[in-house]
Amino acid sequence: MTVLRPNGRKGFTLVELLVVIGILAVLAAILFPVLATAKRAAKANVALQNLSQIGIATQLYADDNSDYLPYSEGNNCLHLAIIKGFGCNGYSVSLIESLPPYNAEILPYGAKQALFESPVDSVGILAEEPGHQATWYLETATTQYPGSSYEYVSKLGLEVTSLSAIAKPLETPIAYSFYVLGPQTPQGFNDVLFSDGHSEAITHETLTRELESLEQ
């Protein structure tokens, strides 16, 4: 109920104010997770758009190089070779060190460096997924090559693969996110660019299976 102040104006009782504050707190508790999910979904959509733009630049590179994909290495393998001295994907350290990174190869074709930093690849997002690298973009950035949130499927470039020679373009990844989003790795999702030019989020289990099929 309302009460009259000494000046004759109506006011709220302490109980009424507490009830209003309680209602606002409940609404906030309901809305914040929804808004967080929406924000996360928006970031994931931008990540896929980034990959689509990277795919266009890759196609332009292929058009300029007799249909062949970039003869280059993924940033993760470069990081392992140059920073830690490891070979990667069956290739020697010396070979990996002699190659340019994927993103450096397609930068002249309109793939601005900003495209390689996924908005999903951040400390805030990945902190919600225990066990994942804080930010691959920064992890793979050195003075020797630019960073990337996405990994190039090196086998396609190093074995001199043409886009037209890929038997299953809808299922063959060209690049994919280093980060995996999900409570458990097999059920988590990677953002993936396929050789036909489309990008989508697929389960890590599916991505692993499709990458393994390239080795057969």
mmCIF file of all heavy atoms in Angstrom, residues 75 103 112-118 121-122 126 133-142 145-150 178-179:
data_model
loop_
_atom_site.group_PDB
_atom_site.id
_atom_site.type_symbol
_atom_site.label_atom_id
_atom_site.label_comp_id
_atom_site.label_asym_id
_atom_site.label_seq_id
_atom_site.Cartn_x
_atom_site.Cartn_y
_atom_site.Cartn_z
ATOM 1 N N ASN A 75 49.348 -22.335 -38.954
ATOM 2 C CA ASN A 75 50.051 -21.581 -37.912
ATOM 3 C C ASN A 75 50.439 -22.444 -36.722
ATOM 4 O O ASN A 75 51.471 -22.216 -36.084
ATOM 5 C CB ASN A 75 49.176 -20.421 -37.437
ATOM 6 C CG ASN A 75 49.054 -19.355 -38.483
ATOM 7 O OD1 ASN A 75 48.518 -19.601 -39.551
ATOM 8 N ND2 ASN A 75 49.552 -18.164 -38.199
ATOM 9 N N ASN A 103 47.817 -17.865 -43.713
ATOM 10 C CA ASN A 103 47.202 -16.538 -43.796
ATOM 11 C C ASN A 103 48.085 -15.534 -44.522
ATOM 12 O O ASN A 103 47.585 -14.658 -45.228
ATOM 13 C CB ASN A 103 46.775 -16.019 -42.428
ATOM 14 C CG ASN A 103 47.812 -16.210 -41.352
ATOM 15 O OD1 ASN A 103 48.833 -16.854 -41.566
ATOM 16 N ND2 ASN A 103 47.579 -15.664 -40.182
ATOM 17 N N LYS A 112 42.060 -9.974 -45.039
ATOM 18 C CA LYS A 112 42.705 -9.090 -44.075
ATOM 19 C C LYS A 112 43.043 -9.862 -42.794
ATOM 20 O O LYS A 112 42.326 -10.764 -42.389
ATOM 21 C CB LYS A 112 41.789 -7.915 -43.752
ATOM 22 C CG LYS A 112 41.526 -7.013 -44.949
ATOM 23 C CD LYS A 112 40.619 -5.850 -44.577
ATOM 24 C CE LYS A 112 40.364 -4.961 -45.785
ATOM 25 N NZ LYS A 112 39.458 -3.822 -45.459
ATOM 26 N N GLN A 113 44.128 -9.457 -42.157
ATOM 27 C CA GLN A 113 44.590 -10.172 -40.973
ATOM 28 C C GLN A 113 43.532 -10.230 -39.877
ATOM 29 O O GLN A 113 43.454 -11.190 -39.114
ATOM 30 C CB GLN A 113 45.875 -9.529 -40.443
ATOM 31 C CG GLN A 113 46.466 -10.191 -39.209
ATOM 32 C CD GLN A 113 46.766 -11.667 -39.396
ATOM 33 O OE1 GLN A 113 47.015 -12.121 -40.502
ATOM 34 N NE2 GLN A 113 46.741 -12.424 -38.310
ATOM 35 N N ALA A 114 42.675 -9.206 -39.820
ATOM 36 C CA ALA A 114 41.626 -9.180 -38.792
ATOM 37 C C ALA A 114 40.690 -10.376 -38.915
ATOM 38 O O ALA A 114 40.098 -10.820 -37.916
ATOM 39 C CB ALA A 114 40.832 -7.887 -38.884
ATOM 40 N N LEU A 115 40.561 -10.946 -40.112
ATOM 41 C CA LEU A 115 39.672 -12.102 -40.305
ATOM 42 C C LEU A 115 40.171 -13.333 -39.566
ATOM 43 O O LEU A 115 39.394 -14.219 -39.237
ATOM 44 C CB LEU A 115 39.554 -12.441 -41.802
ATOM 45 C CG LEU A 115 38.822 -11.442 -42.694
ATOM 46 C CD1 LEU A 115 38.914 -11.887 -44.140
ATOM 47 C CD2 LEU A 115 37.371 -11.313 -42.264
ATOM 48 N N PHE A 116 41.469 -13.370 -39.299
ATOM 49 C CA PHE A 116 42.051 -14.557 -38.683
ATOM 50 C C PHE A 116 41.961 -14.545 -37.163
ATOM 51 O O PHE A 116 42.407 -15.487 -36.512
ATOM 52 C CB PHE A 116 43.503 -14.720 -39.137
ATOM 53 C CG PHE A 116 43.623 -15.077 -40.591
ATOM 54 C CD1 PHE A 116 43.725 -14.097 -41.558
ATOM 55 C CD2 PHE A 116 43.590 -16.405 -40.990
ATOM 56 C CE1 PHE A 116 43.804 -14.422 -42.897
ATOM 57 C CE2 PHE A 116 43.677 -16.746 -42.327
ATOM 58 C CZ PHE A 116 43.783 -15.755 -43.284
ATOM 59 N N GLU A 117 41.402 -13.501 -36.608
ATOM 60 C CA GLU A 117 41.172 -13.463 -35.156
ATOM 61 C C GLU A 117 39.684 -13.657 -34.904
ATOM 62 O O GLU A 117 38.880 -12.748 -35.064
ATOM 63 C CB GLU A 117 41.644 -12.148 -34.548
ATOM 64 C CG GLU A 117 41.471 -12.149 -33.024
ATOM 65 C CD GLU A 117 42.054 -10.916 -32.379
ATOM 66 O OE1 GLU A 117 42.394 -9.961 -33.092
ATOM 67 O OE2 GLU A 117 42.184 -10.902 -31.141
ATOM 68 N N SER A 118 39.328 -14.861 -34.524
ATOM 69 C CA SER A 118 37.923 -15.163 -34.266
ATOM 70 C C SER A 118 37.468 -14.501 -32.982
ATOM 71 O O SER A 118 38.178 -14.535 -31.971
ATOM 72 C CB SER A 118 37.724 -16.679 -34.149
ATOM 73 O OG SER A 118 36.459 -16.970 -33.599
ATOM 74 N N ASP A 121 37.531 -16.836 -30.115
ATOM 75 C CA ASP A 121 38.850 -17.197 -29.604
ATOM 76 C C ASP A 121 39.332 -16.134 -28.624
ATOM 77 O O ASP A 121 40.141 -15.276 -28.947
ATOM 78 C CB ASP A 121 39.813 -17.325 -30.776
ATOM 79 C CG ASP A 121 41.220 -17.676 -30.352
ATOM 80 O OD1 ASP A 121 41.418 -18.031 -29.178
ATOM 81 O OD2 ASP A 121 42.130 -17.594 -31.193
ATOM 82 N N SER A 122 38.777 -16.185 -27.416
ATOM 83 C CA SER A 122 39.142 -15.195 -26.403
ATOM 84 C C SER A 122 39.186 -15.848 -25.036
ATOM 85 O O SER A 122 38.614 -16.908 -24.819
ATOM 86 C CB SER A 122 38.129 -14.045 -26.388
ATOM 87 O OG SER A 122 36.862 -14.518 -25.987
ATOM 88 N N LEU A 126 36.742 -19.000 -23.826
ATOM 89 C CA LEU A 126 37.365 -20.306 -23.625
ATOM 90 C C LEU A 126 37.538 -20.645 -22.153
ATOM 91 O O LEU A 126 37.683 -21.813 -21.803
ATOM 92 C CB LEU A 126 38.709 -20.362 -24.350
ATOM 93 C CG LEU A 126 38.618 -20.293 -25.883
ATOM 94 C CD1 LEU A 126 39.976 -20.527 -26.505
ATOM 95 C CD2 LEU A 126 37.632 -21.307 -26.431
ATOM 96 N N GLN A 133 43.117 -23.791 -24.685
ATOM 97 C CA GLN A 133 44.061 -22.690 -24.756
ATOM 98 C C GLN A 133 43.317 -21.359 -24.611
ATOM 99 O O GLN A 133 42.227 -21.192 -25.153
ATOM 100 C CB GLN A 133 44.774 -22.738 -26.107
ATOM 101 C CG GLN A 133 45.886 -21.744 -26.279
ATOM 102 C CD GLN A 133 47.098 -22.089 -25.453
ATOM 103 O OE1 GLN A 133 47.315 -23.246 -25.153
ATOM 104 N NE2 GLN A 133 47.873 -21.101 -25.084
ATOM 105 N N ALA A 134 43.919 -20.422 -23.903
ATOM 106 C CA ALA A 134 43.255 -19.141 -23.663
ATOM 107 C C ALA A 134 42.957 -18.404 -24.971
ATOM 108 O O ALA A 134 41.850 -17.999 -25.222
ATOM 109 C CB ALA A 134 44.108 -18.275 -22.757
ATOM 110 N N THR A 135 43.960 -18.209 -25.827
ATOM 111 C CA THR A 135 43.719 -17.584 -27.127
ATOM 112 C C THR A 135 44.773 -18.045 -28.115
ATOM 113 O O THR A 135 45.953 -17.733 -28.004
ATOM 114 C CB THR A 135 43.685 -16.047 -27.061
ATOM 115 O OG1 THR A 135 43.798 -15.518 -28.386
ATOM 116 C CG2 THR A 135 44.742 -15.458 -26.173
ATOM 117 N N TRP A 136 44.341 -18.828 -29.092
ATOM 118 C CA TRP A 136 45.254 -19.355 -30.107
ATOM 119 C C TRP A 136 45.774 -18.249 -31.011
ATOM 120 O O TRP A 136 46.870 -18.349 -31.564
ATOM 121 C CB TRP A 136 44.544 -20.415 -30.945
ATOM 122 C CG TRP A 136 44.476 -21.754 -30.278
ATOM 123 C CD1 TRP A 136 43.362 -22.356 -29.758
ATOM 124 C CD2 TRP A 136 45.550 -22.653 -30.048
ATOM 125 N NE1 TRP A 136 43.688 -23.583 -29.223
ATOM 126 C CE2 TRP A 136 45.029 -23.790 -29.394
ATOM 127 C CE3 TRP A 136 46.917 -22.611 -30.329
ATOM 128 C CZ2 TRP A 136 45.816 -24.872 -29.022
ATOM 129 C CZ3 TRP A 136 47.704 -23.696 -29.960
ATOM 130 C CH2 TRP A 136 47.154 -24.811 -29.315
ATOM 131 N N TYR A 137 44.991 -17.206 -31.182
ATOM 132 C CA TYR A 137 45.425 -16.112 -32.054
ATOM 133 C C TYR A 137 46.736 -15.519 -31.533
ATOM 134 O O TYR A 137 47.679 -15.302 -32.288
ATOM 135 C CB TYR A 137 44.349 -15.030 -32.127
ATOM 136 C CG TYR A 137 44.715 -13.896 -33.052
ATOM 137 C CD1 TYR A 137 44.477 -13.996 -34.418
ATOM 138 C CD2 TYR A 137 45.302 -12.727 -32.564
ATOM 139 C CE1 TYR A 137 44.819 -12.960 -35.279
ATOM 140 C CE2 TYR A 137 45.638 -11.699 -33.416
ATOM 141 C CZ TYR A 137 45.398 -11.821 -34.772
ATOM 142 O OH TYR A 137 45.742 -10.803 -35.623
ATOM 143 N N LEU A 138 46.784 -15.259 -30.240
ATOM 144 C CA LEU A 138 47.998 -14.708 -29.653
ATOM 145 C C LEU A 138 49.078 -15.775 -29.515
ATOM 146 O O LEU A 138 50.264 -15.503 -29.667
ATOM 147 C CB LEU A 138 47.688 -14.091 -28.291
ATOM 148 C CG LEU A 138 46.752 -12.878 -28.303
ATOM 149 C CD1 LEU A 138 46.513 -12.384 -26.875
ATOM 150 C CD2 LEU A 138 47.304 -11.761 -29.163
ATOM 151 N N GLU A 139 48.662 -16.994 -29.233
ATOM 152 C CA GLU A 139 49.620 -18.081 -29.055
ATOM 153 C C GLU A 139 50.444 -18.311 -30.321
ATOM 154 O O GLU A 139 51.628 -18.621 -30.246
ATOM 155 C CB GLU A 139 48.873 -19.366 -28.680
ATOM 156 C CG GLU A 139 49.738 -20.612 -28.553
ATOM 157 C CD GLU A 139 50.628 -20.619 -27.333
ATOM 158 O OE1 GLU A 139 50.458 -19.742 -26.466
ATOM 159 O OE2 GLU A 139 51.499 -21.499 -27.244
ATOM 160 N N THR A 140 49.811 -18.167 -31.480
ATOM 161 C CA THR A 140 50.519 -18.445 -32.727
ATOM 162 C C THR A 140 51.059 -17.195 -33.406
ATOM 163 O O THR A 140 51.490 -17.237 -34.548
ATOM 164 C CB THR A 140 49.595 -19.188 -33.713
ATOM 165 O OG1 THR A 140 48.438 -18.383 -33.978
ATOM 166 C CG2 THR A 140 49.155 -20.528 -33.157
ATOM 167 N N ALA A 141 51.048 -16.079 -32.734
ATOM 168 C CA ALA A 141 51.574 -14.836 -33.301
ATOM 169 C C ALA A 141 53.000 -14.587 -32.804
ATOM 170 O O ALA A 141 53.247 -14.552 -31.609
ATOM 171 C CB ALA A 141 50.678 -13.656 -32.915
ATOM 172 N N THR A 142 53.925 -14.447 -33.730
ATOM 173 C CA THR A 142 55.308 -14.101 -33.385
ATOM 174 C C THR A 142 55.762 -13.036 -34.373
ATOM 175 O O THR A 142 55.037 -12.644 -35.279
ATOM 176 C CB THR A 142 56.253 -15.318 -33.488
ATOM 177 O OG1 THR A 142 56.461 -15.614 -34.872
ATOM 178 C CG2 THR A 142 55.664 -16.537 -32.801
ATOM 179 N N TYR A 145 55.684 -14.650 -38.045
ATOM 180 C CA TYR A 145 54.459 -14.870 -38.814
ATOM 181 C C TYR A 145 53.260 -14.391 -38.015
ATOM 182 O O TYR A 145 53.300 -14.329 -36.797
ATOM 183 C CB TYR A 145 54.300 -16.351 -39.190
ATOM 184 C CG TYR A 145 54.339 -17.311 -38.030
ATOM 185 C CD1 TYR A 145 53.179 -17.660 -37.355
ATOM 186 C CD2 TYR A 145 55.539 -17.882 -37.612
ATOM 187 C CE1 TYR A 145 53.217 -18.548 -36.289
ATOM 188 C CE2 TYR A 145 55.576 -18.762 -36.549
ATOM 189 C CZ TYR A 145 54.423 -19.094 -35.896
ATOM 190 O OH TYR A 145 54.451 -19.958 -34.845
ATOM 191 N N PRO A 146 52.178 -14.044 -38.718
ATOM 192 C CA PRO A 146 50.988 -13.522 -38.029
ATOM 193 C C PRO A 146 50.212 -14.612 -37.318
ATOM 194 O O PRO A 146 50.290 -15.795 -37.661
ATOM 195 C CB PRO A 146 50.170 -12.920 -39.170
ATOM 196 C CG PRO A 146 50.574 -13.708 -40.372
ATOM 197 C CD PRO A 146 52.024 -14.017 -40.179
ATOM 198 N N GLY A 147 49.451 -14.223 -36.322
ATOM 199 C CA GLY A 147 48.655 -15.181 -35.564
ATOM 200 C C GLY A 147 47.391 -15.576 -36.307
ATOM 201 O O GLY A 147 46.966 -14.930 -37.257
ATOM 202 N N SER A 148 46.785 -16.681 -35.852
ATOM 203 C CA SER A 148 45.549 -17.140 -36.470
ATOM 204 C C SER A 148 44.747 -17.965 -35.480
ATOM 205 O O SER A 148 45.301 -18.766 -34.730
ATOM 206 C CB SER A 148 45.844 -17.986 -37.710
ATOM 207 O OG SER A 148 44.650 -18.477 -38.282
ATOM 208 N N SER A 149 43.438 -17.772 -35.488
ATOM 209 C CA SER A 149 42.538 -18.597 -34.684
ATOM 210 C C SER A 149 42.188 -19.883 -35.425
ATOM 211 O O SER A 149 41.564 -20.774 -34.863
ATOM 212 C CB SER A 149 41.243 -17.838 -34.381
ATOM 213 O OG SER A 149 41.487 -16.670 -33.653
ATOM 214 N N TYR A 150 42.584 -19.945 -36.708
ATOM 215 C CA TYR A 150 42.205 -21.074 -37.558
ATOM 216 C C TYR A 150 43.447 -21.817 -38.055
ATOM 217 O O TYR A 150 44.479 -21.212 -38.314
ATOM 218 C CB TYR A 150 41.394 -20.586 -38.755
ATOM 219 C CG TYR A 150 40.250 -19.675 -38.371
ATOM 220 C CD1 TYR A 150 40.315 -18.307 -38.589
ATOM 221 C CD2 TYR A 150 39.099 -20.184 -37.762
ATOM 222 C CE1 TYR A 150 39.269 -17.465 -38.237
ATOM 223 C CE2 TYR A 150 38.056 -19.348 -37.394
ATOM 224 C CZ TYR A 150 38.143 -17.998 -37.639
ATOM 225 O OH TYR A 150 37.116 -17.170 -37.273
ATOM 226 N N PHE A 178 41.096 -23.611 -34.030
ATOM 227 C CA PHE A 178 41.890 -24.331 -33.029
ATOM 228 C C PHE A 178 41.040 -24.639 -31.809
ATOM 229 O O PHE A 178 41.183 -25.674 -31.185
ATOM 230 C CB PHE A 178 43.068 -23.474 -32.561
ATOM 231 C CG PHE A 178 44.163 -23.300 -33.572
ATOM 232 C CD1 PHE A 178 45.240 -22.475 -33.280
ATOM 233 C CD2 PHE A 178 44.136 -23.940 -34.797
ATOM 234 C CE1 PHE A 178 46.270 -22.298 -34.191
ATOM 235 C CE2 PHE A 178 45.158 -23.773 -35.715
ATOM 236 C CZ PHE A 178 46.223 -22.940 -35.407
ATOM 237 N N TYR A 179 40.171 -23.707 -31.460
ATOM 238 C CA TYR A 179 39.372 -23.849 -30.255
ATOM 239 C C TYR A 179 38.231 -24.835 -30.478
ATOM 240 O O TYR A 179 37.737 -25.007 -31.585
ATOM 241 C CB TYR A 179 38.809 -22.492 -29.818
ATOM 242 C CG TYR A 179 38.061 -21.762 -30.909
ATOM 243 C CD1 TYR A 179 36.733 -22.058 -31.203
ATOM 244 C CD2 TYR A 179 38.693 -20.772 -31.650
ATOM 245 C CE1 TYR A 179 36.053 -21.393 -32.217
ATOM 246 C CE2 TYR A 179 38.025 -20.103 -32.666
ATOM 247 C CZ TYR A 179 36.716 -20.424 -32.942
ATOM 248 O OH TYR A 179 36.048 -19.778 -33.950
#
